[in-house]
Amino acid sequence: MGTWDIGPFDNDTAADFAGDLDEAAAEERVPMIRRVLERAAACVEFLEVPDAERAVAAAALVVAQHHAGGPSGPGYGPSEPLPPFPADLRALAVAALDQVLGGLCELAVVWDEAVDGPKWRRGIVRLRGVLDPPVPPQREVLFAV
């Protein structure tokens, strides 16, 4: 079927990744997520669709454990519980999402040509924003000059 919606797990690659996480031993789940995020974050060439789809799914799982996050997506995410993630996965997920949103990502190119492309992009930006929220502007003067 390929891709059926814009959510992090709404494609075959991410759904298969969720299945792989479910089948893995509990102690292997965090390293699997880390490897997916590292692969995407370190990409200096063109990030291909499968790697980007797995990275978005992995980042959504990191977001799901963040206090400002939420569920990773209906239906197709992992069924088995995931252990608490180390804090450094947040920065890694941000770097991976930056690659997905960048100009050298096949998935972004494909979505940019689709009708729901802007909606997909907003979803990725929302995930990134949970992990790395913008700093609000300073409103009060700390000292007068």
Side-chain angles (χ1 to χ4, degrees), residues 32-140:
M32 287 173 68
I33 291 166
R34 181 180 300 282
R35 282 190 299 271
V36 164
L37 293 172
E38 285 174 343
R39 182 177 176 113
C43 186
V44 293
E45 302 284 323
F46 201 64
L47 183 61
E48 295 185 12
V49 169
D51 289 333
E53 288 175 332
R54 280 188 287 272
V56 169
L61 295 173
V62 175
V63 167
Q65 287 194 5
H66 190 279
H67 67 86
S72 58
Y76 303 104
S79 301
E80 296 297 317
L82 295 168
F85 297 147
D88 71 307
L89 278 189
R90 281 183 276 199
L92 193 54
V94 167
L97 291 174
D98 285 346
Q99 291 286 56
V100 169
L101 290 170
L104 293 176
C105 179
E106 184 181 22
L107 183 62
V109 170
V110 169
W111 274 111
D112 286 344
E113 296 172 357
V115 172
D116 285 336
K119 190 175 176 183
W120 172 83
R121 191 170 280 277
R122 282 190 303 273
I124 303 301
V125 168
R126 185 196 71 73
L127 290 174
R128 190 192 184 288
V130 169
L131 297 170
D132 188 27
V135 177
Q138 183 176 337
R139 296 187 186 221
E140 61 186 58

